[in-house]
Amino acid sequence: MVGLTSAAGIIALLDEHDDDLKVYALQKLNGIVDQFWAEISDAVSKIEIMYEDTEFKDRALAALVASKVYYHLGEFDDSLNFALGAGNLFDLSLKSEYVDTIVSKCIDKYIAVKVQEQQDLQNAEPMDSRLKAVVEKMFDRCYQDGEYKQAVGIALEAHRLDVVEHSIKAGGPSVILPYVYDLTMTVVQDQAYRNTLLQLLVEQFRQLEEPDYVATNQCLVHLGHHKASAELLQHLVSSGSQADLLMAYQLAFDLENNATQKYLTKVSDALPVDAADAPQPKFAKVKSILSGKETIKLQLEFLCRNNHTDMLILKDSKVSIFGILMCNNIRLKRATNVLDARLSVYHSAVTFANAFMNAGTTSDDFLRQNLEWLSRATNWSKFSATAALGVIHKGQLSRGLSLLAPYLPQDGVTASPYSEGGSLFALGLIHANHGDEVLDYLRGVLRDTQIEVLQHGACLGLGTAGMATDNDDIYEELKNVLFSDSAIGGEAAGLAMGMVMLGTASEKALDEMLQYAHDTQHEKIIRGLAVGVSLVMYGKEDAADFLIERLSADKDPILRYGGMYTIAMAYAGTGSNKAIRRLLHVAVSDVNDDVRRAAVTALGFIMFRSHKQVPRIVQLLSESYNPHVRYGACLALGISCAGTGSLDAIELLEPMTKDNVDFVRQGAFIALAMVLMQQNEAQSPKAASVRKMYEEVIKKKNEDALAKFGAVLGQGIIDAGGRNVTISLQSRSGHSNMPAIVGVALFTQFWYWFPASHFLSLAFTPTAIIGVNADLNLPEIEFTSNARPSLFAYIPPTKPPAAVTVEKVATAVLSTTAKAQAKAKKAKNAESDAMDEDEKPVVKTEEAKEDEVKTTAKPKKEAQFEKLGNLARVVPAQLKYISFDKDARYVPVKKDVTGGIVVLQDNKPDEPENLIATTTSAVASTPPASGADTKMEVEEEEAPLPEPFTYPFGDE
């Protein structure tokens, strides 16, 4: 049978007057439209007339045929309109490309109308009832097929909370609830709608048979409901159940990790006080955890015990940089090797590297061993060197003032303003985000001094210690410094005002800061205020748009620069398409290089949750003709991909390490260090070559100063915190890590002001599993890492160079002497040949044969897992391999292991516990009784902390 080759005969029937013939033609055309749509399209107007004719008896069929024709023509809007007119003839159950496409367009249209209704109900387009009917049919189809996640996805975008709630209940809360929470935090970009969804999730989590307190707590932090958080903690503590008490402790640790100082203070104040006759101070423990003291104490213990800082790297860098050479056993102290010691930039570079490498470890061995080198610091290098103490001793809340006492300002006496100013900044870094104990002291110093350098250090210290406290008194005192119109003090005051009012969106603060930015003539003050304003709008998303528009349109490039950082802070971690489009537009259109660089850098803040997309977005920018754009691309990659070992990011950064512009190379070195933090050769094959590259750049005689600065800084970042920390802009539970985001944003200001480099320490996050019991002590535990040990092992320490033996110069020999020696040698050889004839052949013994076999034996196969103990380093990529034995004595109270501090349930409470002695307890331990056998105790005792020392800084 010959197949149909044309639809002309059927199309001709459309001109008949009899409706039955027209219906017959439409039925035939509906069957062949996919094959002859091009021919039918010439007659589509006739089909449209039939649909529009109210007296035609089969209008729906005409609409269906017209819809299919327009679908093939690529006119999807017209196709959708006619498909809706087809009514029930448009069968959603059919599996075809046409149905899938039209349904997709239908859902997109429905979502667009619903979103418009939410934004502006009065001017919104009215909802087509036919459109709504199709979407309802799709929801019913999802329910019938058990595809509840698909229904949730459509409902979330369409603002259909009723469908979301029904899908959670019908699909099983244990499966659907985590999915809804994940979509809420990653896909939903409207902040008000997100908060509505989180409120719904809180109600759903509470209705579970076993309430999910951890997820409820996370939602409450996002919502900012401090009263609800306090009520939840109070309920768990007061229930009388040991399991609930342990969960309360875990929630308190999670709160401390995710919430601001202001939020934690309100939660703590809302909790009751323990009764006088209470056997255990339960609420006191919860408040202690919320204050951050317990977390910091445990993290310090981890960092001190596991310090793997490679001091040889620092030593080699210092020697290469400052040219302390050994020539003919004479020590020459002059900078003729690579860099000139007179330039403070190189001194600062090594200072920052040492601070980063030893961040939080309390180890100042490098400083003690190089006091003479340290004494070379002058002016702002001295400021940076003293502030480095704050990074090294970060978290020593109880000892901060005593540690810095030799350098802090004394009453009425100012011996060295730079070291004293640096010590005030160091005090803020030690108490970063936990500054209750030092805020009054810093405020007193700020009030009592008129010295610019001291004002600068006190302002930075106040901002760092009082971050996000929303303290009006501190703000007013900082404002007084700002209004003094001192360039040095005013710049720090602008930054500190932003840190204190972090995330408040205070109209008063914004108006005053922007007004003064327009009035002052000092660029440093304007820049400090511009960045400070961006911090005030942290996390405000759409609410910051009015300020972003105002700053982006300002004629002052420094304020436009602040506008880019306002986008970065307001939309940090949201992946907002609107924010990304704006930044990309500015990156290629603004006339100022600083603004363009800031716009590209801001992409890293916006997209750190979806870091895999960043290399693709900045690929073309990394090849820009403008070196400032290339530098911004480097930082964007480093910020977003920090600690991931992303190969795509490394591929883009490697060519820029050979860029012809020195500061682009600097940015590439720093970004590579961020990406490769805690990456060994097993995880990232490029790690070893990058470390080698840093050494070569530092030793290179003709390398530019800025590039060397970046290489030294890179060495410090890649091995930060004794190789036990990473840079993470989101917390373990998925929240935005506010101190880390702010710290990295302020770190990028080192482009203008080197001391700002220290702010990077705010982003250092210890990577450990620290288990605590009900008494918040450290029990001996064991858990399994189901990966081969070498995959996540520490990087082996650098080997010292082998001793070089000096060869002796050959002695001149006369010709007569050479002839005599040759005759003697010939006679000796003849004698030895005669002796060899009498020797027996050597026979190998059995032992020798066994030794030979052993030496040629194959290396032992590596195990596929390893057992780890408490206070063990566990990098983020390793967490998915971690498992706790369910039958073990100690098991986590949380279901999912996310690292950090884990509260443990003791399954054998009646048995005695083996606890790990902390460093402080070891130092304070009493000596054993006389006559006792102390050999074992001496071996196990922790080494005491080193004695304090004073920097060898002379008077100004």
Side-chain angles (χ1 to χ4, degrees):
M1 182 178 178
V2 179
L4 193 64
T5 59
S6 174
I10 302 174
I11 294 173
L13 295 177
L14 297 176
D15 296 325
E16 296 291 335
H17 296 290
D18 189 351
D19 284 354
D20 291 337
L21 288 174
K22 292 180 181 179
V23 170
Y24 173 79
L26 289 173
Q27 290 173 345
K28 291 297 183 182
L29 290 175
N30 186 44
I32 63 174
V33 66
D34 292 336
Q35 182 179 1
F36 295 104
W37 60 268
E39 195 174 353
I40 300 171
S41 65
D42 293 333
V44 70
S45 59
K46 298 177 183 178
I47 301 173
E48 287 186 43
I49 293 172
M50 293 180 194
Y51 168 68
E52 293 169 358
D53 185 0
T54 56
E55 297 181 357
F56 185 66
K57 63 180 181 181
D58 210 343
R59 296 176 60 211
L61 181 59
L64 182 62
V65 175
S67 173
K68 290 182 178 180
V69 172
Y70 279 117
Y71 163 73
H72 286 292
L73 288 171
E75 299 291 339
F76 296 122
D77 290 338
D78 290 334
S79 178
L80 170 61
N81 187 41
F82 284 109
L84 293 176
N88 292 329
L89 290 181
F90 179 60
D91 190 355
L92 301 179
S93 61
L94 293 177
K95 301 290 185 181
S96 69
E97 186 177 345
Y98 162 71
V99 172
D100 291 343
T101 302
I102 298 305
V103 167
S104 175
K105 295 295 179 182
C106 184
I107 293 172
D108 289 344
K109 180 70 173 176
Y110 179 80
I111 290 172
V113 174
K114 292 293 288 184
V115 170
Q116 192 176 9
E117 286 180 358
Q118 295 293 325
Q119 295 175 347
D120 188 1
L121 182 60
Q122 294 181 348
N123 299 322
E125 178 185 347
M127 177 66 73
D128 191 332
S129 59
R130 302 171 302 170
L131 189 68
K132 185 176 180 180
V134 171
V135 174
E136 292 294 343
K137 288 180 182 178
M138 282 302 303
F139 284 136
D140 292 337
R141 179 178 167 186
C142 290
Y143 298 152
Q144 293 171 4
D145 297 343
E147 297 291 346
Y148 294 102
K149 289 186 177 181
Q150 289 187 13
V152 164
I154 298 171
L156 283 177
E157 290 194 74
H159 293 235
R160 289 288 301 274
L161 298 183
D162 57 325
V163 176
V164 174
E165 191 170 355
H166 175 77
S167 300
I168 291 172
K169 294 177 179 178
S174 60
V175 177
I176 304 299
L177 268 176
Y179 179 72
V180 175
Y181 176 77
D182 183 57
L183 289 181
T184 300
M185 299 311 302
T186 56
V187 174
V188 178
Q189 296 187 357
D190 182 73
Q191 193 173 30
Y193 177 48
R194 187 190 309 130
N195 289 342
T196 304
L197 285 170
L198 288 172
Q199 190 62 53
L200 172 66
L201 289 173
V202 169
E203 297 172 2
Q204 295 296 321
F205 281 127
R206 286 175 172 172
Q207 293 175 8
L208 296 175
E209 294 182 6
E210 294 184 6
D212 191 337
Y213 296 117
V214 174
T216 302
N217 191 42
Q218 292 177 8
C219 293
L220 293 176
V221 173
H222 280 296
L223 290 168
H225 291 176
H226 63 274
K227 290 184 179 179
S229 292
E231 290 171 0
L232 177 61
L233 290 174
Q234 186 175 348
H235 165 72
L236 292 171
V237 174
S238 305
S239 69
S241 167
Q242 180 70 5
D244 285 349
L245 178 63
L246 294 175
M247 180 56 73
Y249 291 160
Q250 184 65 69
L251 295 185
F253 279 117
D254 291 347
L255 274 174
E256 195 281 329
N257 188 40
N258 297 318
T260 64
Q261 282 193 75
K262 183 179 179 181
Y263 188 93
L264 293 172
T265 302
K266 289 183 176 180
V267 172
S268 182
D269 292 343
L271 292 174
V273 180
D274 291 295
D277 57 347
Q280 290 184 343
K282 299 176 182 177
F283 285 108
K285 284 185 178 178
V286 173
K287 292 184 177 183
S288 177
I289 295 171
L290 292 175
S291 70
K293 293 178 181 177
E294 299 296 332
T295 299
I296 291 173
K297 181 178 72 174
L298 294 168
Q299 289 179 345
L300 277 174
E301 187 69 28
F302 162 71
L303 292 173
C304 292
R305 282 177 175 268
N306 297 277
N307 186 8
H308 281 70
T309 300
D310 195 338
M311 300 300 293
L312 193 59
I313 293 177
L314 274 175
K315 180 182 176 183
D316 289 346
S317 297
K318 191 208 71 167
V319 170
S320 296
I321 285 179
F322 289 98
I324 301 177
L325 306 176
M326 298 297 291
C327 299
N328 298 325
N329 296 326
I330 299 176
R331 192 177 185 188
L332 301 179
K333 299 178 182 177
R334 55 196 181 97
T336 56
N337 186 14
V338 179
L339 305 175
D340 189 346
R342 293 171 297 178
L343 299 179
S344 62
V345 59
Y346 308 127
H347 195 286
S348 296
V350 179
T351 300
F352 295 140
N354 172 58
F356 292 157
M357 284 187 180
N358 293 291
T361 64
T362 70
S363 172
D364 47 24
D365 292 345
F366 178 78
L367 301 178
R368 294 174 183 277
Q369 295 167 8
N370 296 277
L371 294 177
E372 188 273 336
W373 167 82
L374 195 61
S375 65
R376 300 181 184 182
T378 58
N379 300 334
W380 288 106
S381 292
K382 185 182 294 187
F383 181 95
S384 298
T386 314
L389 280 177
V391 178
I392 294 171
H393 294 283
K394 185 173 180 286
Q396 292 276 9
L397 301 185
S398 60
R399 302 179 58 220
L401 284 169
S402 60
L403 283 168
L404 296 172
Y407 322 106
L408 291 170
Q410 306 299 322
D411 293 337
V413 179
T414 302
S416 174
Y418 290 100
S419 61
E420 291 177 4
S423 67
L424 294 172
F425 185 20
L427 192 62
L429 291 170
I430 288 175
H431 294 262
N433 209 25
H434 298 88
D436 292 341
E437 299 177 4
V438 296
L439 288 178
D440 290 339
Y441 172 80
L442 288 168
R443 290 170 63 185
V445 174
L446 187 61
R447 283 194 300 266
D448 297 340
T449 185
Q450 296 299 320
I451 301 174
E452 287 186 331
V453 180
L454 289 183
Q455 288 179 337
H456 186 88
C459 287
L460 292 180
L462 268 174
T464 309
M467 191 184 300
T469 55
D470 191 14
N471 189 313
D472 286 331
D473 294 335
I474 297 177
Y475 172 81
E476 290 298 328
E477 291 176 2
L478 292 169
K479 188 171 70 173
N480 292 336
V481 176
L482 177 71
F483 286 171
S484 68
D485 208 38
S486 162
I488 295 174
E491 179 185 34
L495 292 173
M497 291 163 72
M499 285 190 276
V500 172
M501 307 303 288
L502 181 64
T504 62
S506 168
E507 292 185 8
K508 174 191 172 185
L510 291 173
D511 290 342
E512 292 176 345
M513 294 169 75
L514 288 174
Q515 181 62 42
Y516 196 78
H518 284 103
D519 293 343
T520 186
Q521 300 298 315
H522 293 291
E523 286 191 2
K524 290 174 73 67
I525 296 179
I526 299 173
R527 186 173 295 109
L529 287 169
V531 177
V533 163
S534 71
L535 299 179
V536 176
M537 298 307 293
Y538 171 84
K540 293 305 176 184
E541 299 183 25
D542 294 339
D545 285 348
F546 77 96
L547 180 62
I548 293 170
E549 291 286 351
R550 179 179 173 184
L551 293 174
S552 300
D554 200 286
K555 63 180 181 180
D556 189 337
I558 300 178
L559 289 178
R560 295 203 304 275
Y561 174 90
M564 299 304 101
Y565 273 92
T566 304
I567 298 174
M569 295 296 99
Y571 288 94
T574 63
S576 168
N577 291 328
K578 175 176 65 176
I580 293 170
R581 281 196 299 270
R582 182 187 288 272
L583 291 172
L584 290 174
H585 173 71
V586 173
V588 297
S589 64
D590 200 278
V591 296
N592 184 270
D593 287 335
D594 289 349
V595 179
R596 298 177 69 176
R597 185 181 69 248
V600 182
T601 302
L603 290 171
F605 292 98
I606 305 291
M607 303 189 65
F608 66 78
R609 294 186 195 275
S610 51
H611 65 270
K612 293 182 179 178
Q613 299 178 19
V614 178
R616 178 175 56 85
I617 289 178
V618 304
Q619 182 175 6
L620 292 178
L621 296 173
S622 68
E623 300 170 359
S624 169
Y625 72 92
N626 190 318
H628 291 266
V629 174
R630 299 200 298 273
Y631 179 91
C634 291
L635 289 190
L637 289 168
I639 292 167
S640 60
C641 301
T644 63
S646 169
L647 292 177
D648 292 335
I650 294 172
E651 286 180 4
L652 290 180
L653 289 169
E654 277 189 322
M656 286 190 277
T657 61
K658 300 177 178 64
D659 198 279
N660 59 352
V661 179
D662 52 359
F663 62 77
V664 177
R665 297 199 298 276
Q666 178 195 82
F669 294 147
I670 293 172
L672 276 173
M674 290 180 170
V675 174
L676 291 171
M677 289 182 78
Q678 295 190 320
Q679 300 284 320
N680 58 22
E681 286 190 74
Q683 291 175 270
S684 179
K686 296 286 186 180
S689 61
V690 169
R691 291 172 180 274
K692 185 67 176 174
M693 177 181 63
Y694 289 151
E695 295 178 15
E696 293 173 351
V697 170
I698 292 169
K699 292 177 181 178
K700 214 172 185 180
K701 290 185 177 182
N702 57 348
E703 184 60 83
D704 294 311
L706 287 180
K708 283 183 181 291
F709 182 90
V712 178
L713 224 59
Q715 282 188 328
I717 294 171
I718 201 170
D719 287 337
R723 295 175 173 169
N724 291 306
V725 301
T726 188
I727 293 175
S728 178
L729 300 192
Q730 60 179 333
S731 66
R732 298 177 184 89
S733 55
H735 292 253
S736 294
N737 188 348
M738 183 195 68
I741 293 171
V742 173
V744 174
L746 294 176
F747 163 74
T748 59
Q749 306 309 309
F750 82 88
W751 176 277
Y752 306 100
W753 196 237
F754 281 157
S757 302
H758 287 309
F759 281 113
L760 187 63
S761 62
L762 301 182
F764 291 160
T765 305
T767 53
I769 287 183
I770 305 172
V772 296
N773 59 11
D775 297 322
L776 304 185
N777 292 324
L778 296 165
E780 292 183 359
I781 62 174
E782 189 176 74
F783 55 92
T784 306
S785 172
N786 297 292
R788 64 184 194 275
S790 63
L791 186 60
F792 301 108
Y794 282 102
I795 297 158
T798 307
K799 295 180 180 178
V804 180
T805 56
V806 181
E807 296 182 0
K808 294 182 179 180
V809 180
T811 306
V813 180
L814 297 175
S815 58
T816 54
T817 307
K819 291 179 180 178
Q821 288 177 348
K823 288 181 180 179
K825 186 176 181 181
K826 186 176 180 182
K828 187 175 181 181
N829 288 339
E831 184 179 352
S832 62
D833 290 341
M835 292 176 65
D836 289 342
E837 293 177 0
D838 297 333
E839 289 182 358
K840 296 181 179 179
V842 178
V843 180
K844 289 186 179 180
T845 63
E846 292 295 326
E847 293 180 356
K849 290 181 180 180
E850 289 179 6
D851 291 340
E852 190 174 327
V853 172
K854 287 180 181 179
T855 56
T856 58
K858 293 183 179 179
K860 186 178 179 181
K861 187 177 181 181
E862 185 181 10
Q864 296 303 305
F865 68 94
E866 66 175 326
K867 294 291 184 180
L868 300 174
N870 209 346
L871 295 169
R873 185 186 83 152
V874 178
V875 300
Q878 191 178 1
L879 286 171
K880 60 185 176 183
Y881 299 102
I882 297 300
S883 63
F884 281 79
D885 187 358
K886 295 181 180 179
D887 299 327
R889 175 172 180 175
Y890 297 100
V891 292
V893 295
K894 276 204 307 188
K895 294 179 182 178
D896 299 325
V897 179
T898 57
I901 298 174
V902 180
V903 179
L904 302 170
Q905 172 80 48
D906 188 356
N907 293 328
K908 300 176 183 178
D910 298 331
E911 298 182 7
E913 289 186 289
N914 294 324
L915 301 178
I916 299 174
T918 59
T919 305
T920 52
S921 64
V923 173
S925 60
T926 56
S930 59
D933 184 6
T934 61
K935 181 177 180 182
M936 185 60 69
E937 295 181 14
V938 171
E939 289 178 353
E940 294 182 355
E941 184 180 7
E942 290 285 341
L945 290 174
E947 294 297 325
F949 73 101
T950 304
Y951 274 18
F953 293 149
D955 296 343
E956 294 300 315

